[in-house]
């Protein structure tokens, strides 16, 4: 399958590497408005350097959109117009209304459109998903999610990230729906600027705790931090009526050092990419399957649901009140 | 030190056993309005079987109150009147106003009065407390607490327990204050009846998630359940600016069975007492020290603080709103 | 059951404590040729201070022998003569021939006689024993045992300990037979003085690796050390045709500290007694059962088997050759 | 760096994949006497399909020899003759004498020659190696190594494998020397046919325990099995005078399932390649460095040492006696 990689930044490089190494796919073209970046990427993988977005899409079986957020919508709509299947990194657009419009266009055109909700393809989370699906845990009662990034992003990134609840949270809101097979009905958020007061200047927080009630009455807690002192930490725990399952953070080097009255292990992954990189090849395999009509893949609607929860969470943070969540997409 | 054990139920037996086995203490008398129960207890430890509460207190250096909640206040006030040091199991009284009155009497009389907040004496939680006190974790940012009991209590217990937030929660609210050296300023609670609908008849929930903002802005999440499918589960995690520490549930029998593509371990403690029993001898040692003027011991005020948070939590649950917490004890 | 505790040293104190705390037993008398030691012990538990060995045994339902090794045989034979059941700390006598004689006398007299092979009563090792007995592990193929003491014993102890293979090894040789339900047929030992050269002066080693072939062909490795830099470390692993099981060293305080690129846990037990103390109350329960005719208990023959293996091991160490083991007790 | 991959079987495919994905290397040619196999490999990586061994070596900067053992020597000597650096999978030749001859030729010709002792490049073992090198563990005293393959190889493989001690053992004998920076002086082996009696027909065993005394007196135990019931299991533990370190088997999917009185985890890697595959890219990086004159790489002498220990081990197994090891290479 020939894949056009649009966007030659960090994530474009990740998708190119996966496409290069997967025996089922090849890079049909790479494109970026920054021609230097896309040129380097083309050379690295001996791929065609497209001269324009149209040129990149022209002969592609599939487009992967890994550009800055504010360009996602336009590129996605061009793919829809050209009836070319695409994967878009989240979010689909800068605001929920635009994203809904794009999702509706894709649905009407019958074009395959996937969202880059790659965490679903992690081995641990797949195991959780299967355990819940198979009934091993019974009826889900409590869900705990921890997501703490090892170090602060640059402040200019914060300014345009849409806030922690959209930027980081959308992944976890999607995970919550995917794992439990249901949606939140109410959200309450506590937030603080404990790490860097400048978050407050952008109406954002660096530390947040989220309390969610699901449609079934199941209860979920998430805690987010923009900086740890001990590496990259993400974890999920699901307690159900017949069992409980934890996806513990993997330890890359499993060596124990016994000395005196202590035992020292090597710590967590140093950053998000080293932790989660294995999801990208797995996501690509599932994507190729889905384009070929086999299996499920995260949809634009899944992306809209996650964004809707994030928006409600931001409202709760602002109003200091619990907020009911409505999913009114008309698609 | 001669200790009068008042109350010959489960907890009275626990205190008697500790007192018997501790070389620093002896049982001066046991008393219960149920003479058969206290008689058996007296025989078991070759202790004096007091004929009345006054008789039990008469020659005691210390009284341990382990009777039903609705009698705590009267017995405590009798100890205060007789200037006899006492430990009272939580809560100090059936409601916050009565408890405040009793605490004020104790303070005015200058009588030593301790609360049975025994979890503070657990080895793991002591390690957490020291790590925070020593600055090893830096400034505290996120606190996570899990408390899930293995099986439902009898419904008649539920009816008079004061609700999960007072019954179970008070221990954890105290732990939170003790560990962080500060108090909550706002609480929000989500609750559900997922296990047994009859909890709703008593205005209670069987599953609850609690979101707390501390005075410093640190954020705390607690999750409570009245029934697990996997034993008794309590855990605490503290993330600070320079490190994170977890008190993981101990595994009583540390054996791993490798078979096929699985590894099976023995599970958690089967119930709360097997998990936490080590705290009682440790609490007794600290209590004897405190009566002798050495070291700190949980006070009636500590108990009042925990109850105040519980009451605010119940209000949040009822009103479905975050509730600010005021500590107005006038003591 | 009235128990006479003979010997008021460390282990006599341990047995007295267990007897005091077990509701099924009481201390009928204590005795030691060191009258000061036995006097203190008698006071501690309000027990009768016997004036002589005969006096101690006179009214005992059971005698526990916890005196120095060179007195075990005489005391055991006195118990046999008086038809009083007894438990003897290992070894039964200073050499194998004397021990065999005593065992034969006990068998002929039909007196209950147990050996203090307390490790069998550890919760982890019981779990291993059950797993093998139930067939969960299939046919046993490889057994690994690690036994490393945290710190060197005094040199005067070394001089009369009988060597590491008898002193420490006998416990593990017994464990091996008990767990596998079979006996070793050949032993080979490598030994070194890596910690303290003075061990060599006593014909002993401070570090030893033992290779054993069982009658069935199953293979066992043991490694012993007289000193670690990281606490007291003992472990057993059994690999069979259908599964493998490990008894991992328990961690007393299960707290994890995440900091930088490391995770630090609290270490192992600091010494053998803190690790293994739980076996003594369990051993006492089994002992009372066995004297009452219920259940099994380690016998003098079990002790002889362990000593026989130890003697063969010492011969291998001396001759630097594998040594076949014969069990020729004539009892 | 242009690399000729000689041998298009399983390991040739592994080396080709690594060479393809490493930005510092490219496949200059592939060759196998089985032209169909090498043809497929050439197509897979768009590589040149050499018509002969000479053709393959002609323009190579480096040759990787991954052919059957009985051809290693001839191909290695051709590389030496052509002064082309090479990596040879172990063993260097079918017997020790031939291997010594080849090693001497390489030394005299001054041609870079590496042995495929890839386990040295595992992250865990690197951590052990560094800990010992840095002195963190003090003086090494006890080394424990476990190597158990998940399932029996085909019997025809057994017939020509040289026995478990050469086939599997050589990797571990090399690890032992590399980690401890010293060599064994005596070896004793116990072996059994517990899994399949046909091993005995080939003078081999399926289960072996190895006892080694190092030059320093440090003691090493290894246990080998040809079949587990629980996946692929390899582990190393080093106890030294100031600390102990364990390389525990990594768990690929770190998920814990709590249910009833049990906790179930996912098991070990299912086979050797999934466990150890990360060593091949790391080995290639080190190889390229070494050819360019930077850093160390396992040498032919390292391979000879490992084979010498294996031969002594086989002699011990046959004679049922400890065997002294002489390293007499004259190179």
């Amino acid at each position: 399958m020939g894949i056009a990689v649009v966007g030659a930044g960090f994530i474009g490089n990740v998708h190119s590497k996966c496409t290069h190494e997967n025996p089922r796919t090849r890079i049909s073209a790479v494109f970026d408005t920054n021609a230097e970046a896309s040129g380097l990427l083309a050379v690295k993988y001996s791929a065609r350097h497209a001269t324009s977005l149209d040129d990149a899409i022209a002969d592609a079986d599939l487009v992967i959109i890994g550009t800055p957020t504010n360009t996602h919508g336009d590129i996605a709509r061009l793919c829809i117009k050209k009836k070319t299947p695409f994967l878009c990194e989240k979010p689909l657009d800068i605001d929920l209304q635009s994203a809904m419009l794009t999702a509706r266009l894709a649905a009407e055109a019958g074009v395959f459109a996937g969202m880059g909700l790659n965490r679903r393809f992690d081995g641990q989370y797949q195991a959780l998903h299967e355990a819940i699906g198979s009934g091993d845990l019974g009826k889900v009662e409590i869900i705990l999610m921890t997501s703490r990034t090892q170090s602060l992003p640059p402040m200019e990134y914060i300014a345009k990230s849409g806030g922690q609840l959209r930027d980081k949270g959308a992944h976890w809101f999607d995970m919550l729906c995917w794992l439990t097979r249901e949606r939140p009905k109410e959200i309450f958020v506590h937030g603080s600027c404990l790490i860097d007061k400048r978050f407050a200047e952008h109406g954002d927080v660096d530390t947040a705790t989220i309390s969610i009630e699901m449609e079934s009455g199941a209860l979920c807690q998430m805690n987010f931090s923009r900086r740890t002192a001990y590496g990259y930490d993400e974890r999920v725990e699901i307690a159900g009526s017949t069992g409980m399952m934890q996806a513990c953070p993997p330890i890359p080097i499993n060596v124990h050092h016994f000395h005196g009255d202590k035992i020292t292990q090597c710590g967590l992954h140093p950053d998000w990419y080293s932790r989660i990189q294995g999801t990208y090849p797995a996501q690509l395999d599932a994507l190729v399957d889905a384009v070929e009509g086999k299996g499920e893949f995260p949809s634009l609607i899944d992306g809209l649901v996650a964004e809707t929860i994030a928006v409600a969470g931001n409202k709760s943070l602002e109003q200091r009140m619990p907020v009911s969540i409505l999913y009114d997409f008309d698609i």
Side-chain angles (χ1 to χ4, degrees), chain A residues 206-247:
Chain A
D206 52 38
T207 307
T209 48
I210 296 117
S211 187
I212 289 172
E213 187 178 352
M214 305 296 285
E215 286 157 356
S216 68
L219 302 178
C220 170
Q221 290 185 314
M222 300 182 180
N223 71 89
F224 295 166
S225 173
R226 286 288 197 186
R227 180 272 295 124
T228 75
Y230 61 95
Y232 180 81
D233 185 10
E234 66 173 60
R235 285 171 272 156
V236 177
E237 170 179 329
I238 314 268
S241 56
T242 62
M244 188 268 276
M245 193 174 274
Q246 293 176 325

Side-chain angles (χ1 to χ4, degrees), chain A residues 300-328:
Chain A
L300 301 191
I301 302 291
D302 293 328
L304 291 179
V305 167
E307 289 292 319
T308 300
I309 302 167
V311 167
N314 274 334
K315 189 172 161 194
S316 171
L317 192 54
E318 194 185 344
Q319 302 185 344
R320 304 188 64 88
M321 299 279 284
V323 170
S324 293
I325 310 175
L326 295 180
Y327 305 90
D328 184 17

